[in-house]
């Protein structure tokens, strides 16, 4: 082969190598190296993360409408004056919640000791849990969020309400001192106030509520108040039972049964349905207390009146 042909062949080879290298580089840049979870409209979205300096979005790919829509989800009914800006609105059950965090920050330093739970208490609904503390102890936000409400609210006393990115709001009540301002962004574990006995409080404690669009939820259904501080699941469906205090007792922990899918709800409710045979001395009140149910719910399921007299051997459906 002549030197001229050899040189020509060599340059063709170099061109091929150069093109191949460029293609490999482009393919490498197209590889997703990681995913970042963000919460959009109460749902977790996994965004792909590409290598540095890789322009993975065409011009104008991010719509202003999308940004506005996402912002509206977080700011809907944003009100610094009302404790519950959703008053009068109806919430459809079941509804879905998603969490970006696998754990939460303890709202108090040291061990969390729950002294009163979500449920019926002294003839009234107790819509949160009480956690023991001393006056002046730090109270912290359990998740990232933004301060929506700060003020003195009836029986709650000095109160802070934090709205989180999945639409949940947490309420911190009976504070002796408030250390945050309205519309302030805060981080998980950030101190927002000091424990106290303001409002209708019997001894110093933190009254913690979890709300979604104004409706209280049993906090222990969403969070494990143990040393692990775990969020129970990244996806949960909340049924009416877990957002109604009369289905629970403040003196004992409810049996936690998670609904992670719509299918779970029907399956679990079917499994939990029981038939109780009335015995001597039984009353609707006694049966309701035994199973932690409301008398009205038993009556509705069994087409009974609250004044109905039960007969020995009569079968009652217990849900």
């Amino acid at each position: 082969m002549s030197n001229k042909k050899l040189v020509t062949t060599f340059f063709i080879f170099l061109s091929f190598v150069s093109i191949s290298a460029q293609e490999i580089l482009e393919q490498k840049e197209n590889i997703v190296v990681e995913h970042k979870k963000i919460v959009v409209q109460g749902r977790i979205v996994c965004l792909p993360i590409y290598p540095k300096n890789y322009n993975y979005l065409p011009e104008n790919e991010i719509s202003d409408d999308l940004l506005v829509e996402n912002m509206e989800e977080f700011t809907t009914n944003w009100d610094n004056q009302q404790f519950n800006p959703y008053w009068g609105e109806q919430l459809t059950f079941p509804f879905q919640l998603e969490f970006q965090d696998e754990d939460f920050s303890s709202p108090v330093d040291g061990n969390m000791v729950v002294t009163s739970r979500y449920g019926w208490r002294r003839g009234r609904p107790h819509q949160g849990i009480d956690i023991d503390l001393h006056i002046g102890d730090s109270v912290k936000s359990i998740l990232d969020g933004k301060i929506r409400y700060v003020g003195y609210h009836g029986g709650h006393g000095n109160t802070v309400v934090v709205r989180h990115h999945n639409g949940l709001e947490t309420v911190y009540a009976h504070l002796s001192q408030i250390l945050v301002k309205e519309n302030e962004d805060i981080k998980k574990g950030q101190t927002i106030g000091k424990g106290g006995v303001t409002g209708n409080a019997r001894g110093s404690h933190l009254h913690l509520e979890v709300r979604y669009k104004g409706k209280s939820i049993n906090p222990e259904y969403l969070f494990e108040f143990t040393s692990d501080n775990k969020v129970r699941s990244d996806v949960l469906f909340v049924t009416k039972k877990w957002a109604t205090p009369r289905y629970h007792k403040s003196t004992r922990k409810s049996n936690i049964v998670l609904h992670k899918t719509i299918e779970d709800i029907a399956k679990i409710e079917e499994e939990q349905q029981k038939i109780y045979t009335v015995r001597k001395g039984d009353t609707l009140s006694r049966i309701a207390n035994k199973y932690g149910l409301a008398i009205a719910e038993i009556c509705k399921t069994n087409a009974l009146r609250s004044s109905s007299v039960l007969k020995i051997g009569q079968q009652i459906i217990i849900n």
Side-chain angles (χ1 to χ4, degrees), residues 174-188:
H174 304 318
L175 304 178
S176 62
Q177 187 178 1
I178 294 174
L179 302 177
V180 289
K181 297 179 180 179
E182 298 162 349
N183 305 318
E184 180 180 343
D185 292 317
I186 59 169
K187 294 295 183 181
K188 176 169 67 174

Side-chain angles (χ1 to χ4, degrees), residues 119-134:
W120 208 248
R121 185 176 72 175
R122 297 191 292 273
R124 300 179 62 184
H126 185 232
Q127 302 194 70
I129 63 172
D130 293 343
I131 300 174
D132 191 33
L133 52 63
H134 294 97

Side-chain angles (χ1 to χ4, degrees), residues 269-293:
E269 288 182 348
E270 181 180 353
E271 289 175 350
Q272 288 182 334
Q273 190 177 79
K274 301 175 182 178
I275 302 296
Y276 178 81
T277 302
V278 176
R279 302 171 183 176
K280 184 178 179 179
D282 277 340
T283 62
L284 284 174
S285 177
R286 181 176 296 180
I287 296 172
N289 287 334
K290 180 177 180 179
Y291 290 98
L293 298 173

Side-chain angles (χ1 to χ4, degrees), residues 12 61 76 83 114 121 130 148 153-154 156 171 193 202 230 237 246-247 289:
I12 292 174
E61 183 70 19
T76 297
F83 172 77
V114 178
R121 185 176 72 175
D130 293 343
R148 184 185 62 76
H153 179 255
H156 286 115
V171 179
R202 298 185 177 185
K230 292 293 184 183
F237 284 85
R246 74 169 183 267
Y247 292 150
N289 287 334

Side-chain angles (χ1 to χ4, degrees), residues 38 47 55-70:
I38 64 170
L47 294 182
N55 184 21
Y56 60 92
L57 286 176
E59 286 188 19
N60 302 323
E61 183 70 19
I62 300 178
S63 166
D64 290 339
D65 293 338
L66 178 61
L67 294 176
V68 170
E69 185 179 4
N70 294 343

